Amino acid sequence: MKRFLSIMVLFCAAAVAMAQEQVDTTFNLNEVVVTGTRTPKLLKDTPAQTRLIGSDDIRKADATNIQDLLQTEVPGVEFSYAMNQQTHLNFAGFGGQSVLFLVDGERLAGETMDDVDFQRLTMEGIERIEIVRGASSALYGSNAGGGVINIITRDGARPWALNVNARLARHNSQRYGGSFSINRKHVSNSFDFMYSGIDNYDVTNGPSPQARVFSTVYGDKSLNLKDKLTLRLFDGFRLIGRAGYFYRTLTRTADNPERYRDFSAGLRALWEISDRDNLEAAYTFDEYDKSDYQKITRLDIRDYSNVQNTFRAVWNHSFPDAGILTLGSDFMHDYLLNVNLDGGSRSQDCFDVFAQYDWILSPRWELVCNLRYDYLSDDRKSHLTPKVTARFKASDYVTFRMGYGVGFRAPTLKERYYNFDMAGIWTVIGNPNLRSETSHNFNASVEWTRSHYNFTATAYYNGVRNKIATGTPYYAPQSSTLNPQLFLPYLNLEKYSVCGAEATLQARWDCGFGARLSYAFTKENILGDNDANTFGNQYLPSREHTLTARFEFDRQLTSFYGLNVALHGRYLSGVDNHEYVDYYDISRGTQTVHYPAYTLWKLSTSHRLGKALSITLALDNLFNYRPDYYYLNSPVTDGTNFQLGLSLDIDKL
């Protein structure tokens, strides 16, 4: 009897383990992530709540770049326009200046209206994307106060692989991409390319708009080339080299198209010194340029260049049954050339040291403590930023996470020394006396996973001091009555806060059906004496309520034919903003402008023919939504868009 009971106990334990393993596989919980702690961890075990967008999600979304993907997959994300149709990100109350984008853990040079050039971040050759909300400055320094989005590129896994793909849509929208990879004992290489383009097209506005509208949506053409080479020189030692080239052209005026270029390269050494020690050393170069091409004179005039040279060293030591100690340091030389800068060009050196201890208290408890020191040479200021995160595994199905972190954002060289005439409205001027933003972030989350279901809920609060923004425009004292000069200065807001919550419920069944619903609530609040002095801010506030949804069916119906049907949707609530009636004449006073809510849906079908060929048919903007007015934060759709795509794995033929 005892033997029988022992066998039954072992059988039940094995069944539970197998079921849990199936759940972990179903929801990618056994994927390794690195962003939250800078050390590899399983997604289910990371102390920092991490949103993972895997390669299957990227493929099903059929996104061209990071902008297309994030607004489809992540609630609380909105991409809108700033001046002259430059794309701006609002990520749960934080703009692109406070959300750090990384590629394989490396920063990006350059910006367009305070945001990275999202067209650079194409989805060709991407393995996964890791998103960590909340202050991460203790690990990544300035610009990480609102979160980190780390794009992880793919390594070659098969002996060789070759893929070509294409997609066509309205307005002469074209996308052609491909990848080629090889993998041998001591060397592997992955090369990816993508070309995309779309024509300019006109849109129609209703009468008497409340705020600024646009009537032409500017298209562009871009080329992105990336190569990643890995050398395994001996056991435990790898050299990873990468290089990239990006080119984009945009035509607002026929005789003077704009050009954007980026050159990037890097070398990283990974050395597993022993079972307990490993060392990383890296160098990264990134140069982002803007120029205006004059067709008549055939002159390509560069008016912007940002060059970053970064050196980094990180050492990890594992203690037996105790935890992992991480020590690291970075040095970056940042050079900026901008014809609108006081002096034309500026540079600064940024130095930091950081430490982290990942303490495994017990099988259920884990505590991670971080501390980082940053020094910036331009204003000779330093910052000390701590962070503490904890994970408690209450049961096999429930995990709690909580954290507190200090974030900071140093004023950029542009914000300190800018002098720019913004489309004749006013002149934006820098402020050399700007103070760095500091923030206190509190967050807590719970995750429940059982059988075919996964539920995650997160709540957070960010209190920001000295938020960097633009203030109230004013007339210069020396202005004449006939030709008044209107200036818009950068300033520090005394206090700013954003709080919110996010919840995601997803399910996947053996029959091939799956569903995911995600909701985000965001509330911004400006406090202090200067809360009424921010009408000049060209960025719109967050929408309080956003919802994303995905319903899909995926099944291999025969040995030759597989089908995926997916319905993606997103809803963004309306938002009010206090603005000037006439930005050219501020004496006319202010008004409250309401920007309406909207909902967009996309229906796509993917047909897998054999192992090599996949054909995608999609209807974007399924219900033919057209905004009455094309405001800066309105979707640029002008009706339903039919898309036809094809992907061919030549190595599988």
Side-chain angles (χ1 to χ4, degrees):
M1 185 66 179
K2 291 182 179 180
R3 180 176 296 178
F4 175 77
L5 291 175
S6 299
I7 294 174
M8 290 300 296
V9 169
L10 290 174
F11 176 80
C12 292
V16 170
M18 292 176 62
Q20 185 62 36
E21 178 66 26
Q22 182 181 9
V23 169
D24 294 345
T25 304
T26 299
F27 296 107
N28 297 323
L29 300 182
N30 280 329
E31 287 275 0
V32 176
V33 295
V34 297
T35 307
T37 59
R38 295 187 84 152
T39 55
K41 282 188 174 294
L42 297 181
L43 179 61
K44 63 182 179 182
D45 294 333
T46 180
Q49 181 65 45
T50 302
R51 174 70 179 266
L52 177 69
I53 304 177
S55 56
D56 285 344
D57 296 322
I58 295 172
R59 175 179 54 82
K60 293 173 183 177
D62 195 28
T64 299
N65 53 48
I66 191 68
Q67 176 180 341
D68 295 340
L69 183 70
L70 291 181
Q71 64 187 3
T72 300
E73 294 289 315
V74 182
V77 169
E78 181 181 17
F79 288 90
S80 59
Y81 282 152
M83 183 207 72
N84 211 15
Q85 288 193 25
Q86 302 286 4
T87 304
H88 175 66
L89 167 68
N90 191 314
F91 183 77
F94 284 93
Q97 314 96 313
S98 298
V99 179
L100 182 61
F101 281 82
L102 305 171
V103 176
D104 290 331
E106 304 292 350
R107 286 175 173 264
L108 304 174
E111 53 86 15
T112 56
M113 295 300 292
D114 300 330
D115 295 77
V116 299
D117 190 338
F118 300 111
Q119 297 279 36
R120 286 179 58 186
L121 304 175
T122 59
M123 293 297 98
E124 196 71 48
I126 303 303
E127 176 65 28
R128 67 186 188 275
I129 296 171
E130 300 174 10
I131 303 172
V132 178
R133 293 180 183 266
S136 298
S137 294
L139 277 175
Y140 297 101
S142 183
N143 300 87
V148 174
I149 298 175
N150 193 5
I151 301 169
I152 311 296
T153 59
R154 186 167 51 224
D155 291 318
R158 299 196 297 271
W160 74 280
L162 176 60
N163 172 270
V164 292
N165 58 82
R167 192 185 74 180
L168 303 175
R170 288 183 62 196
H171 305 303
N172 196 31
S173 174
Q174 303 177 51
R175 187 186 75 196
Y176 305 99
S179 63
F180 174 69
S181 64
I182 59 171
N183 185 26
R184 298 292 186 265
K185 181 178 180 181
H186 296 291
V187 62
S188 62
N189 190 81
S190 179
F191 174 76
D192 303 283
F193 75 91
M194 178 179 287
Y195 168 83
S196 64
I198 184 173
D199 292 345
N200 296 357
Y201 60 94
D202 294 330
V203 292
T204 303
N205 291 284
S208 304
Q210 284 188 283
R212 287 172 288 175
V213 296
F214 53 89
S215 57
T216 299
V217 178
Y218 296 112
D220 59 14
K221 294 176 175 59
S222 65
L223 174 68
N224 205 317
L225 306 174
K226 297 177 289 185
D227 192 77
K228 184 178 180 180
L229 174 67
T230 301
L231 300 176
R232 293 175 284 273
L233 301 182
F234 53 84
D235 287 345
F237 186 84
R238 289 180 294 157
L239 276 178
I240 303 174
R242 63 182 182 89
Y245 173 73
F246 167 77
Y247 173 80
R248 178 165 69 100
T249 180
L250 184 153
T251 303
R252 304 180 203 272
T253 57
D255 295 330
N256 194 27
E258 302 167 18
R259 291 179 171 180
Y260 304 83
R261 297 180 179 88
D262 183 79
F263 310 88
S264 62
L267 182 65
R268 183 165 53 142
L270 300 174
W271 184 17
E272 296 180 9
I273 303 172
S274 68
D275 292 340
R276 297 183 182 178
D277 296 275
N278 64 74
L279 179 67
E280 173 188 350
Y283 164 72
T284 302
F285 169 84
D286 197 7
E287 177 179 349
Y288 182 81
D289 298 336
K290 304 176 189 177
S291 63
D292 295 313
Y293 180 67
Q294 298 180 355
K295 286 188 174 181
I296 297 177
T297 60
R298 295 185 178 181
L299 293 177
D300 193 27
I301 302 174
R302 186 176 64 168
D303 51 24
Y304 176 97
S305 181
N306 182 210
V307 182
Q308 294 180 354
N309 287 273
T310 305
F311 300 85
R312 182 178 67 256
V314 181
W315 172 66
N316 295 293
H317 175 75
S318 300
F319 295 92
D321 302 321
I324 302 174
L325 174 65
T326 300
L327 300 175
S329 179
D330 301 271
F331 173 81
M332 181 178 73
H333 180 71
D334 187 14
Y335 168 81
L336 179 64
L337 178 149
N338 190 327
V339 295
N340 299 307
L341 276 183
D342 181 16
S345 66
R346 295 276 177 170
S347 65
Q348 70 172 340
D349 294 323
C350 308
F351 171 77
D352 68 75
V353 290
F354 59 89
Q356 171 183 277
Y357 188 68
D358 186 348
W359 187 12
I360 310 296
L361 288 83
S362 72
R364 293 191 179 275
W365 278 99
E366 180 178 5
L367 182 68
V368 180
C369 301
N370 307 81
L371 188 64
R372 180 184 177 109
Y373 171 82
D374 286 86
Y375 173 80
L376 296 93
S377 66
D378 181 64
D379 55 357
R380 297 183 179 180
K381 291 183 179 179
S382 59
H383 302 270
L384 193 65
T385 50
K387 183 178 182 180
V388 179
T389 54
R391 174 182 60 86
F392 172 59
K393 194 172 182 61
S395 70
D396 291 338
Y397 311 110
V398 179
T399 301
F400 292 94
R401 296 176 175 90
M402 59 211 77
Y404 162 75
V406 173
F408 89 94
R409 183 173 85 83
T412 64
L413 295 171
K414 185 185 79 171
E415 290 166 336
R416 289 171 59 84
Y417 304 110
Y418 212 34
N419 191 320
F420 174 56
D421 182 0
M422 193 174 74
I425 302 176
W426 42 49
T427 299
V428 182
I429 57 173
N431 181 355
N433 299 315
L434 283 175
R435 299 182 296 277
S436 295
E437 291 182 9
T438 57
S439 64
H440 297 271
N441 170 261
F442 301 87
N443 63 81
S445 67
V446 58
E447 182 175 16
W448 173 83
T449 304
R450 190 165 187 176
S451 184
H452 301 286
Y453 305 94
N454 172 268
F455 174 76
T456 303
T458 304
Y460 62 88
Y461 171 82
N462 289 286
V464 183
R465 285 189 174 273
N466 299 320
K467 181 176 174 60
I468 301 171
T470 47
T472 302
Y474 65 90
Y475 288 106
Q478 68 273 21
S479 299
S480 66
T481 305
L482 297 177
N483 186 27
Q485 288 183 285
L486 198 58
F487 287 91
L488 181 68
Y490 280 103
L491 52 73
N492 290 107
L493 299 180
E494 181 182 346
K495 291 182 180 180
Y496 167 84
S497 68
V498 56
C499 62
E502 180 181 336
T504 297
L505 174 62
Q506 54 184 334
R508 294 180 182 176
W509 296 280
D510 296 336
C511 60
F513 285 97
R516 186 182 68 218
L517 293 173
S518 297
Y519 165 77
F521 168 78
T522 306
K523 183 66 176 180
E524 296 182 66
N525 189 26
I526 299 175
L527 306 172
D529 296 336
N530 46 16
D531 60 341
N533 297 327
T534 58
F535 300 119
N537 195 342
Q538 56 195 306
Y539 305 127
L540 299 174
S542 299
R543 298 177 186 263
E544 286 193 4
H545 308 280
T546 62
L547 178 71
T548 62
R550 184 175 76 187
F551 307 95
E552 67 174 326
F553 171 78
D554 193 300
R555 195 78 170 178
Q556 190 69 31
L557 299 178
T558 69
S559 60
F560 180 76
Y561 178 70
L563 174 66
N564 176 273
V565 180
L567 179 65
H568 298 261
R570 70 181 188 271
Y571 164 80
L572 288 82
S573 65
V575 62
D576 293 332
N577 192 38
H578 210 40
E579 303 177 10
Y580 286 104
V581 174
D582 187 344
Y583 282 85
Y584 293 92
D585 183 6
I586 63 174
S587 64
R588 295 182 59 188
T590 63
Q591 62 179 345
T592 299
V593 178
H594 177 72
Y595 295 95
Y598 68 88
T599 303
L600 291 175
W601 290 89
K602 179 179 180 178
L603 176 64
S604 63
T605 64
S606 180
H607 308 266
R608 300 185 296 270
L609 305 177
K611 296 181 179 181
L613 180 62
S614 176
I615 299 174
T616 300
L617 305 173
L619 289 174
D620 198 7
N621 191 8
L622 179 63
F623 300 108
N624 199 33
Y625 173 78
R626 301 167 187 253
D628 294 329
Y629 303 96
Y630 287 85
Y631 295 124
L632 296 182
N633 66 345
S634 298
V636 296
T637 177
D638 62 344
T640 301
N641 187 2
F642 175 72
Q643 299 173 343
L644 171 63
L646 180 146
S647 177
L648 179 64
D649 292 316
I650 296 177
D651 57 299
K652 296 180 180 179
L653 290 174

